[in-house]
Structures are given as C-alpha cells and as structure tokens.
Amino acid sequence: MIDVFEDSLLDMPLLNTHKMRLSRYNIGMDTTNTEDQQDVQHSENANLRPHKLKDYIGQENVKKTLKMFIEAVKKRGTATEHVLFYGPPGLGKTTLVYILANELQGEIKITSGAALQKSGDLAAILTNLKDNDVLFIDEIHRIPKPVEEMLYPVMEDNALDIIIGKGPSARTVRLPVAKITIVGATTKLALLSAPLRDRFGLILRLDYYQDKEMEEIIVRSSKLLNLPITDKAATEIAKRARKTPRIANRILKRARDMYEVDKHEIIDEQLLEKLFSLLEIDEVGLQKIDRKYIKMLATKFSNLPVGIETIASALSEDQQTIEEFIEPYLLQLGFLKKTPRGRVLTTQALKHLGISVKQNDVEQPTLV
C-alpha cells in the first residue's frame, strides 16, 4: 500500500529515457549530435533483434515454453500469468520480452528495478497501462521492499492498494489495474525474495549458446547490417564470442568498422586476424586481462593455491572485478579450479598458453 500524500502519483517516472528532451535546461546548448548518436545506436540494436518467436535463434526449450504460453493467452483472450527471465547477461532476455509483447499484440512499457525507488513511481506506471500491455522490469532484483510488496496484489488480483489520508481519518482504497503481463529479468535470481519469485507463473532460465547457434546469429546479424562475410569468418567470431550473442554482435560491429575504414570487399579471415590482434582477443575469447591472470598464477605463484585478495593485489584490480568479470569465463572453459585453499589453474589452461609447470606444483599438496 502507498500513502498518496507521501508518494504523490504526480511524481511519474520517465519510462523511455531515450525520448527525454531537456529543452528547458538547454540554454544556448546544441544537443542534436548526441541525440542523433543515441537514436542511431538504439535503432541498430532494435534492428538486430528478431520480432517473432520463430526468428529467434537458440534457447529451444524456452521458445517451446513461451510458444505454449502465448497460444494459451490468445485462446483465453487475457493474460493470467507473469514471466521471469534469468541468466547471465547478454543472452537475449530483453529480446524475448520484446517478442513476447509483440506476440501478445500489446504495448511494452520498460523500466528497471533501480528506477522504481518509491511506491508512487510504480503506481504512476500501472495506472497508465491497458489490457494486454506488458510491463518489463529489468534488473528486478533491485526493487526496494516497499515497491515490491505493492506488486503483490497487482500480480495476483489486478488491484492497486493505496491509503488516502493520515491518522484516524486514513482509509484504504483498492483501485483496479488493467490485465497486464509483468515480465521481470535478472542476472541474480537469488537476490529476489521468495514471495516475489513465487508469484511468477513462468520462470525461465537462459543458458549459453552452442557454437552452431552462435554462427547462425552472426550470419543473420551480418545480413541485417548489409555486411558480406565468409562462413569461416563467422566461425572465427563465434569461437571468440564466449557463447554470448551480445559479444558476437559487438565483435561484428568492430569488424564492420575495419571493413568500412580499410575499404575491404568482404569480412574474411585476414580482416579478422588484424581485428583480433588489435582487440587482443585470442582463439577461445580470452582477453589481455584473462591471459595476465593465468600467467600470474602460473609463473609468479608456481600454480599453487592463491587467495582472491592476493590475486587482486597482484593484478591491481578489485576483488569484485576478478570474481564477476574475469573468473566466470575461465571456470566455464575449465581453465580454473576454486579450492578451499585458493585458485589453481588446470592443465588445460597451462597448455593453452604454452606454460610449463612441474607436475608436483600443479597438484594441490596433500593435507596431513
């Protein structure tokens, strides 16, 4: 419930920040170029996104489940369940939300958990929605507790509870809300409270893509960007994209830069060889900091177990960067082991960089 005197419904959030026009404050200031650049970037990302479920590549189980959900909603004529997507970043959660809204033939309203700081923010959004609309809350785990609790009756009863007045004269009013589909997306499912998580009727996890699926995504994106590319070049990009479409598209756009600047006729292996050398990406997608991490453990510490604080000091990086940016992909490749005593490289990691370490040093010492 919310107090309309404390959280005024007039304090409405700006849902689509790319449409903001700060003309009141732009005294003698020309922002045309900045806005044009943002519009171009937004247009590119939107153009690369598929609009239909049948055009979406990969995540076959998720697609089958969503197809059944969409067909059931169309048959009933109204949405009765809400959807939660979770998984690592860059795998297509936002794209699936756009597809879902398009298939349900409703408008999509976008906000984020961090933007919903007050109950009035959420109330202002909900009162402007229509039946079959989709409310997408990105990074939903960042919603404050009072706003989260306000969502409960909306998700279950399509109702919004507010309090009018204060003290003995205060009274509760329940306002009807349109029959909408609330879609949440998060990279950290564990940070969602159990009451909120259990109110989603459909919880779908997006996993990393297969190499073949990555190649299909790259070929599709190159066609949308009008870029000629060889099959071998698409394979090479897929190898370095860390099984993540966002990274694949990012590499492809940098290849487009080199293709246009150096006036190449096609994106092939020769162009990519120069590009990967410039970006310092090796054949399995390791970047300079990743190789530095491996070499440090292998040479400085003879591949003996090392704690995270020691690694952070040796690399001059903070612990969070190491744990959330560097180590996950090394663990995924099987290059790193986390033991109770510290981090240890696997033989596979040493072979990849051609580092020779004594076998006795590689194995963890036996505890007596």
Side-chain angles (χ1 to χ4, degrees):
M1 294 185 183
I2 63 170
D3 190 324
V4 295
F5 289 96
E6 294 180 355
D7 294 322
S8 173
L9 297 184
L10 295 177
D11 185 15
M12 296 178 63
L14 295 174
L15 300 181
N16 299 315
T17 55
H18 65 278
K19 292 183 179 178
M20 290 176 65
R21 297 293 184 267
L22 304 179
S23 57
R24 291 170 53 193
Y25 306 100
N26 293 337
I27 303 174
M29 184 184 300
D30 183 9
T31 61
T32 305
N33 292 335
T34 303
E35 290 177 358
D36 288 345
Q37 291 171 1
Q38 291 175 347
D39 289 342
V40 168
Q41 185 65 34
H42 181 269
S43 177
E44 274 191 1
N45 292 333
N47 289 336
L48 292 180
R49 285 193 173 118
H51 301 292
K52 296 288 185 180
L53 197 59
K54 62 182 177 63
D55 298 327
Y56 190 92
I57 299 171
Q59 310 292 345
E60 293 302 325
N61 286 335
V62 172
K63 284 167 59 178
K64 289 177 183 177
T65 306
L66 274 181
K67 183 179 179 182
M68 180 181 65
F69 172 79
I70 292 168
E71 289 178 355
V73 169
K74 289 180 177 179
K75 186 172 289 187
R76 286 191 300 265
T78 182
T80 57
E81 297 287 355
H82 307 284
V83 185
L84 177 66
F85 295 109
Y86 76 98
L91 297 185
K93 295 186 289 292
T94 303
T95 299
L96 281 173
V97 176
Y98 277 100
I99 290 174
L100 183 61
N102 189 45
E103 297 279 5
L104 294 178
Q105 298 178 346
E107 290 187 17
I108 182 171
K109 306 294 183 181
I110 305 172
T111 185
S112 66
L116 299 174
Q117 289 301 310
K118 297 184 296 183
S119 300
D121 296 337
L122 180 61
I125 297 171
L126 292 172
T127 52
N128 284 288
L129 295 176
K130 303 183 296 293
D131 288 346
N132 293 328
D133 282 357
V134 173
L135 173 59
F136 175 40
I137 306 176
D138 199 10
E139 299 299 330
I140 194 171
H141 63 271
R142 298 185 64 185
I143 289 183
K145 195 67 177 176
V147 180
E148 176 188 318
E149 292 175 352
M150 184 183 174
L151 268 178
Y152 297 164
V154 176
M155 298 176 74
E156 291 185 328
D157 305 321
N158 294 108
L160 178 64
D161 294 331
I162 63 173
I163 299 174
I164 298 178
K166 288 186 177 181
S169 62
R171 69 182 190 275
T172 302
V173 177
R174 171 161 283 205
L175 301 176
V177 175
K179 295 179 180 179
I180 62 173
T181 299
I182 296 177
V183 183
T186 179
T187 56
K188 300 178 180 180
L189 183 66
L191 295 184
L192 260 69
S193 66
L196 178 59
R197 188 172 62 243
D198 294 343
R199 281 174 168 81
F200 286 97
L202 205 58
I203 301 178
L204 301 172
R205 184 183 192 278
L206 273 65
D207 209 342
Y208 289 104
Y209 289 70
Q210 301 298 320
D211 290 341
K212 186 65 176 174
E213 295 169 343
M214 291 299 304
E215 291 178 27
E216 292 179 26
I217 291 171
I218 293 164
V219 171
R220 178 185 177 275
S221 296
S222 64
K223 289 179 180 178
L224 293 173
L225 294 173
N226 295 318
L227 293 175
I229 186 171
T230 65
D231 292 339
K232 180 64 175 176
T235 302
E236 292 301 315
I237 293 176
K239 286 180 183 178
R240 293 161 172 80
R242 301 190 174 200
K243 304 181 185 298
T244 306
R246 181 180 293 165
I247 297 176
N249 286 330
R250 187 168 66 208
I251 294 174
L252 183 62
K253 289 176 183 178
R254 299 294 72 76
R256 178 184 62 177
D257 295 342
M258 185 168 286
Y259 165 82
E260 292 175 348
V261 171
D262 293 345
K263 298 181 180 179
H264 289 268
E265 295 182 356
I266 192 171
I267 296 178
D268 55 13
E269 301 93 296
Q270 287 73 31
L271 183 151
L272 291 180
E273 186 177 348
K274 292 192 293 183
L275 177 66
F276 295 143
S277 175
L278 183 65
L279 298 178
E280 298 183 299
I281 303 175
D282 70 9
E283 60 270 18
V284 295
L286 295 183
Q287 299 176 357
K288 182 178 180 181
I289 186 64
D290 304 316
R291 294 190 294 274
K292 184 179 179 182
Y293 179 101
I294 294 173
K295 289 177 181 177
M296 180 204 63
L297 288 184
T299 57
K300 279 190 177 181
F301 300 102
S302 302
N303 201 27
L304 295 173
V306 184
I308 184 65
E309 294 181 0
T310 304
I311 293 173
S313 298
L315 287 177
S316 301
E317 295 281 357
D318 63 280
Q319 294 185 28
Q320 189 172 1
T321 299
I322 292 171
E323 292 180 317
E324 297 183 8
F325 178 70
I326 300 175
E327 291 183 341
Y329 187 58
L330 295 177
L331 289 166
Q332 184 185 340
L333 290 174
F335 282 8
L336 184 68
K337 292 190 296 185
K338 286 185 177 181
T339 71
R341 300 186 62 190
R343 274 68 167 167
V344 182
L345 296 174
T346 63
T347 306
Q348 189 177 353
L350 299 174
K351 285 181 179 178
H352 176 69
L353 292 186
I355 300 174
S356 177
V357 179
K358 292 182 181 179
Q359 187 66 23
N360 291 338
D361 291 339
V362 175
E363 300 296 333
Q364 181 176 343
T366 304
L367 299 177
V368 180

